[in-house]
Short mmCIF file of all heavy atoms in Angstrom, two decimals:
data_model
loop_
_atom_site.label_atom_id
_atom_site.label_comp_id
_atom_site.label_asym_id
_atom_site.label_seq_id
_atom_site.Cartn_x
_atom_site.Cartn_y
_atom_site.Cartn_z
N ARG Z 84 -9.88 12.13 -4.63
CA ARG Z 84 -10.07 13.40 -3.93
C ARG Z 84 -8.75 13.83 -3.29
O ARG Z 84 -8.01 13.00 -2.79
CB ARG Z 84 -11.14 13.30 -2.84
CG ARG Z 84 -12.51 13.06 -3.39
CD ARG Z 84 -13.04 14.30 -4.11
NE ARG Z 84 -14.41 14.13 -4.53
CZ ARG Z 84 -14.80 14.15 -5.79
NH1 ARG Z 84 -13.95 14.31 -6.76
NH2 ARG Z 84 -16.06 14.00 -6.08
N SER Z 85 -8.50 15.11 -3.28
CA SER Z 85 -7.26 15.65 -2.72
C SER Z 85 -7.45 16.02 -1.25
O SER Z 85 -8.50 16.53 -0.85
CB SER Z 85 -6.83 16.90 -3.49
OG SER Z 85 -5.71 17.49 -2.85
N GLY Z 86 -6.41 15.81 -0.47
CA GLY Z 86 -6.39 16.25 0.91
C GLY Z 86 -6.42 17.76 1.04
O GLY Z 86 -6.70 18.29 2.12
N ARG Z 87 -6.14 18.46 -0.05
CA ARG Z 87 -6.24 19.93 -0.04
C ARG Z 87 -7.70 20.38 0.16
O ARG Z 87 -7.97 21.46 0.64
CB ARG Z 87 -5.75 20.52 -1.37
CG ARG Z 87 -4.29 20.48 -1.59
CD ARG Z 87 -3.91 21.17 -2.91
NE ARG Z 87 -2.52 20.97 -3.22
CZ ARG Z 87 -2.04 20.00 -3.97
NH1 ARG Z 87 -2.85 19.14 -4.55
NH2 ARG Z 87 -0.75 19.90 -4.18
N ASP Z 88 -8.63 19.52 -0.27
CA ASP Z 88 -10.04 19.88 -0.29
C ASP Z 88 -10.82 19.43 0.94
O ASP Z 88 -12.01 19.70 1.04
CB ASP Z 88 -10.71 19.31 -1.54
CG ASP Z 88 -10.05 19.81 -2.82
OD1 ASP Z 88 -9.55 20.95 -2.82
OD2 ASP Z 88 -10.03 19.05 -3.80
N GLY Z 89 -10.19 18.69 1.83
CA GLY Z 89 -10.90 18.24 3.02
C GLY Z 89 -10.15 17.14 3.75
O GLY Z 89 -9.17 16.59 3.25
N ASP Z 90 -10.63 16.82 4.93
CA ASP Z 90 -10.04 15.80 5.79
C ASP Z 90 -10.53 14.43 5.34
O ASP Z 90 -11.68 14.05 5.61
CB ASP Z 90 -10.43 16.08 7.23
CG ASP Z 90 -9.91 15.06 8.22
OD1 ASP Z 90 -9.31 14.05 7.80
OD2 ASP Z 90 -10.11 15.28 9.43
N LYS Z 91 -9.69 13.70 4.65
CA LYS Z 91 -10.11 12.40 4.11
C LYS Z 91 -10.35 11.37 5.21
O LYS Z 91 -11.12 10.44 5.01
CB LYS Z 91 -9.10 11.88 3.09
CG LYS Z 91 -9.16 12.68 1.79
CD LYS Z 91 -8.47 11.97 0.67
CE LYS Z 91 -7.06 12.45 0.49
NZ LYS Z 91 -6.40 11.85 -0.67
N TRP Z 92 -9.74 11.55 6.36
CA TRP Z 92 -10.03 10.65 7.49
C TRP Z 92 -11.52 10.77 7.83
O TRP Z 92 -12.23 9.78 7.92
CB TRP Z 92 -9.17 10.99 8.70
CG TRP Z 92 -7.71 10.80 8.52
CD1 TRP Z 92 -6.78 11.76 8.23
CD2 TRP Z 92 -6.99 9.57 8.60
NE1 TRP Z 92 -5.52 11.20 8.13
CE2 TRP Z 92 -5.62 9.86 8.36
CE3 TRP Z 92 -7.35 8.25 8.86
CZ2 TRP Z 92 -4.63 8.88 8.37
CZ3 TRP Z 92 -6.37 7.27 8.87
CH2 TRP Z 92 -5.02 7.59 8.62
N ALA Z 93 -11.96 12.00 8.03
CA ALA Z 93 -13.36 12.24 8.40
C ALA Z 93 -14.31 11.89 7.26
O ALA Z 93 -15.37 11.30 7.48
CB ALA Z 93 -13.55 13.70 8.81
N LEU Z 94 -13.94 12.24 6.03
CA LEU Z 94 -14.82 12.01 4.88
C LEU Z 94 -15.02 10.54 4.56
O LEU Z 94 -16.06 10.15 4.02
CB LEU Z 94 -14.28 12.75 3.66
CG LEU Z 94 -14.33 14.29 3.77
CD1 LEU Z 94 -13.50 14.94 2.64
CD2 LEU Z 94 -15.77 14.78 3.73
N THR Z 95 -14.04 9.69 4.88
CA THR Z 95 -14.16 8.26 4.58
C THR Z 95 -14.62 7.44 5.78
O THR Z 95 -15.02 6.29 5.62
CB THR Z 95 -12.81 7.69 4.12
OG1 THR Z 95 -11.86 7.86 5.18
CG2 THR Z 95 -12.34 8.33 2.84
N GLY Z 96 -14.51 8.01 6.98
CA GLY Z 96 -14.83 7.26 8.18
C GLY Z 96 -13.70 6.34 8.63
O GLY Z 96 -13.89 5.53 9.54
N LEU Z 97 -12.53 6.45 7.99
CA LEU Z 97 -11.38 5.67 8.43
C LEU Z 97 -10.80 6.31 9.69
O LEU Z 97 -10.94 7.51 9.90
CB LEU Z 97 -10.32 5.60 7.33
CG LEU Z 97 -10.73 4.84 6.08
CD1 LEU Z 97 -9.67 4.96 4.99
CD2 LEU Z 97 -11.00 3.37 6.38
N HIS Z 98 -10.15 5.50 10.49
CA HIS Z 98 -9.64 5.97 11.78
C HIS Z 98 -8.12 5.92 11.83
O HIS Z 98 -7.50 4.99 11.30
CB HIS Z 98 -10.22 5.13 12.91
CG HIS Z 98 -11.71 5.19 12.96
ND1 HIS Z 98 -12.50 4.28 12.30
CD2 HIS Z 98 -12.54 6.07 13.55
CE1 HIS Z 98 -13.77 4.59 12.50
NE2 HIS Z 98 -13.83 5.68 13.25
N GLN Z 99 -7.55 6.91 12.51
CA GLN Z 99 -6.10 6.97 12.68
C GLN Z 99 -5.68 6.07 13.84
O GLN Z 99 -6.31 6.06 14.89
CB GLN Z 99 -5.66 8.40 12.98
CG GLN Z 99 -5.92 9.35 11.84
CD GLN Z 99 -5.38 10.74 12.11
OE1 GLN Z 99 -4.40 10.91 12.83
NE2 GLN Z 99 -6.04 11.74 11.55
N TYR Z 100 -4.61 5.32 13.60
CA TYR Z 100 -3.98 4.52 14.65
C TYR Z 100 -2.60 5.13 14.84
O TYR Z 100 -1.88 5.33 13.86
CB TYR Z 100 -3.88 3.05 14.20
CG TYR Z 100 -3.40 2.13 15.29
CD1 TYR Z 100 -4.31 1.53 16.14
CD2 TYR Z 100 -2.04 1.88 15.46
CE1 TYR Z 100 -3.87 0.68 17.16
CE2 TYR Z 100 -1.60 1.05 16.47
CZ TYR Z 100 -2.52 0.44 17.32
OH TYR Z 100 -2.09 -0.38 18.32
N PRO Z 101 -2.22 5.45 16.06
CA PRO Z 101 -0.94 6.15 16.27
C PRO Z 101 0.25 5.37 15.72
O PRO Z 101 0.36 4.16 15.93
CB PRO Z 101 -0.85 6.28 17.79
CG PRO Z 101 -2.22 6.02 18.31
CD PRO Z 101 -2.92 5.15 17.31
N GLY Z 102 1.13 6.09 15.03
CA GLY Z 102 2.35 5.47 14.56
C GLY Z 102 3.22 5.08 15.75
O GLY Z 102 3.19 5.72 16.80
N VAL Z 103 4.01 4.03 15.57
CA VAL Z 103 4.89 3.55 16.63
C VAL Z 103 6.33 3.98 16.36
O VAL Z 103 6.97 4.60 17.20
CB VAL Z 103 4.79 2.01 16.78
CG1 VAL Z 103 5.81 1.48 17.78
CG2 VAL Z 103 3.37 1.62 17.18
N ALA Z 104 6.82 3.69 15.16
CA ALA Z 104 8.21 4.03 14.81
C ALA Z 104 8.29 5.27 13.91
O ALA Z 104 9.37 5.71 13.57
CB ALA Z 104 8.89 2.84 14.14
N VAL Z 105 7.13 5.80 13.51
CA VAL Z 105 7.05 7.01 12.69
C VAL Z 105 6.00 7.92 13.31
O VAL Z 105 5.17 7.48 14.10
CB VAL Z 105 6.71 6.70 11.22
CG1 VAL Z 105 7.82 5.89 10.55
CG2 VAL Z 105 5.37 5.98 11.10
N GLU Z 106 6.02 9.19 12.92
CA GLU Z 106 5.06 10.16 13.47
C GLU Z 106 3.70 10.10 12.78
O GLU Z 106 2.70 10.51 13.36
CB GLU Z 106 5.62 11.57 13.36
CG GLU Z 106 6.76 11.85 14.31
CD GLU Z 106 7.22 13.30 14.21
OE1 GLU Z 106 6.37 14.20 14.02
OE2 GLU Z 106 8.43 13.51 14.32
N CYS Z 107 3.66 9.63 11.54
CA CYS Z 107 2.38 9.61 10.83
C CYS Z 107 1.51 8.46 11.32
O CYS Z 107 2.01 7.42 11.73
CB CYS Z 107 2.59 9.54 9.32
SG CYS Z 107 3.56 8.17 8.75
N PRO Z 108 0.19 8.66 11.28
CA PRO Z 108 -0.71 7.60 11.73
C PRO Z 108 -0.82 6.48 10.71
O PRO Z 108 -0.53 6.66 9.53
CB PRO Z 108 -2.05 8.33 11.86
CG PRO Z 108 -1.97 9.43 10.87
CD PRO Z 108 -0.53 9.86 10.83
N ALA Z 109 -1.27 5.34 11.19
CA ALA Z 109 -1.63 4.22 10.33
C ALA Z 109 -3.15 4.24 10.19
O ALA Z 109 -3.84 4.99 10.88
CB ALA Z 109 -1.17 2.91 10.96
N VAL Z 110 -3.68 3.41 9.30
CA VAL Z 110 -5.13 3.27 9.14
C VAL Z 110 -5.56 2.10 10.03
O VAL Z 110 -5.15 0.96 9.82
CB VAL Z 110 -5.51 3.01 7.66
CG1 VAL Z 110 -7.01 2.77 7.54
CG2 VAL Z 110 -5.07 4.18 6.79
N GLU Z 111 -6.39 2.41 11.02
CA GLU Z 111 -6.81 1.39 11.98
C GLU Z 111 -7.50 0.20 11.31
O GLU Z 111 -7.32 -0.95 11.73
CB GLU Z 111 -7.75 2.01 13.02
CG GLU Z 111 -8.10 1.07 14.14
CD GLU Z 111 -8.89 1.74 15.25
OE1 GLU Z 111 -8.69 2.94 15.50
OE2 GLU Z 111 -9.71 1.05 15.85
N GLU Z 112 -8.26 0.42 10.26
CA GLU Z 112 -9.01 -0.64 9.59
C GLU Z 112 -8.13 -1.56 8.74
O GLU Z 112 -8.58 -2.62 8.31
CB GLU Z 112 -10.10 -0.02 8.70
CG GLU Z 112 -11.22 0.65 9.47
CD GLU Z 112 -10.90 2.05 10.01
OE1 GLU Z 112 -9.80 2.59 9.75
OE2 GLU Z 112 -11.76 2.61 10.70
N SER Z 113 -6.90 -1.19 8.50
CA SER Z 113 -6.00 -1.99 7.68
C SER Z 113 -5.48 -3.21 8.45
O SER Z 113 -5.09 -3.09 9.60
CB SER Z 113 -4.81 -1.13 7.23
OG SER Z 113 -3.88 -1.90 6.51
N PRO Z 114 -5.45 -4.39 7.81
CA PRO Z 114 -4.93 -5.57 8.49
C PRO Z 114 -3.41 -5.50 8.73
O PRO Z 114 -2.91 -6.05 9.71
CB PRO Z 114 -5.28 -6.73 7.56
CG PRO Z 114 -5.45 -6.10 6.22
CD PRO Z 114 -5.94 -4.70 6.46
N ILE Z 115 -2.70 -4.81 7.85
CA ILE Z 115 -1.25 -4.64 7.97
C ILE Z 115 -0.91 -3.21 7.61
O ILE Z 115 -1.32 -2.70 6.57
CB ILE Z 115 -0.48 -5.58 7.00
CG1 ILE Z 115 -0.66 -7.05 7.39
CG2 ILE Z 115 1.00 -5.21 6.93
CD1 ILE Z 115 0.15 -7.50 8.59
N SER Z 116 -0.15 -2.56 8.49
CA SER Z 116 0.35 -1.20 8.25
C SER Z 116 1.86 -1.25 8.36
O SER Z 116 2.41 -1.70 9.37
CB SER Z 116 -0.24 -0.22 9.27
OG SER Z 116 -1.66 -0.17 9.15
N ILE Z 117 2.54 -0.79 7.30
CA ILE Z 117 3.99 -0.91 7.19
C ILE Z 117 4.61 0.48 7.33
O ILE Z 117 4.50 1.31 6.43
CB ILE Z 117 4.37 -1.55 5.84
CG1 ILE Z 117 3.62 -2.87 5.65
CG2 ILE Z 117 5.88 -1.75 5.74
CD1 ILE Z 117 3.63 -3.40 4.23
N GLU Z 118 5.23 0.73 8.47
CA GLU Z 118 5.82 2.03 8.75
C GLU Z 118 7.20 2.13 8.08
O GLU Z 118 8.02 1.21 8.20
CB GLU Z 118 5.96 2.24 10.26
CG GLU Z 118 4.61 2.28 10.96
CD GLU Z 118 4.72 2.50 12.45
OE1 GLU Z 118 5.69 2.01 13.08
OE2 GLU Z 118 3.84 3.17 13.00
N CYS Z 119 7.42 3.24 7.37
CA CYS Z 119 8.62 3.39 6.54
C CYS Z 119 9.31 4.73 6.76
O CYS Z 119 8.64 5.74 6.98
CB CYS Z 119 8.23 3.29 5.07
SG CYS Z 119 7.42 1.75 4.61
N ARG Z 120 10.63 4.72 6.61
CA ARG Z 120 11.44 5.94 6.58
C ARG Z 120 12.09 6.03 5.20
O ARG Z 120 12.70 5.07 4.73
CB ARG Z 120 12.51 5.93 7.64
CG ARG Z 120 11.98 6.07 9.04
CD ARG Z 120 13.08 6.47 10.02
NE ARG Z 120 12.62 6.31 11.37
CZ ARG Z 120 11.82 7.15 12.01
NH1 ARG Z 120 11.40 8.22 11.38
NH2 ARG Z 120 11.44 6.93 13.25
#
Side-chain angles (χ1 to χ4, degrees):
R84 294 290 186 242
S85 174
R87 288 183 188 93
D88 301 329
D90 178 355
K91 288 196 264 185
W92 296 99
L94 293 168
T95 61
L97 294 174
H98 300 92
Q99 295 184 30
Y100 187 90
V103 174
V105 295
E106 289 183 37
C107 56
V110 176
E111 187 173 329
E112 291 79 3
S113 176
I115 294 284
S116 298
I117 307 165
E118 297 181 325
C119 301
R120 290 197 193 282

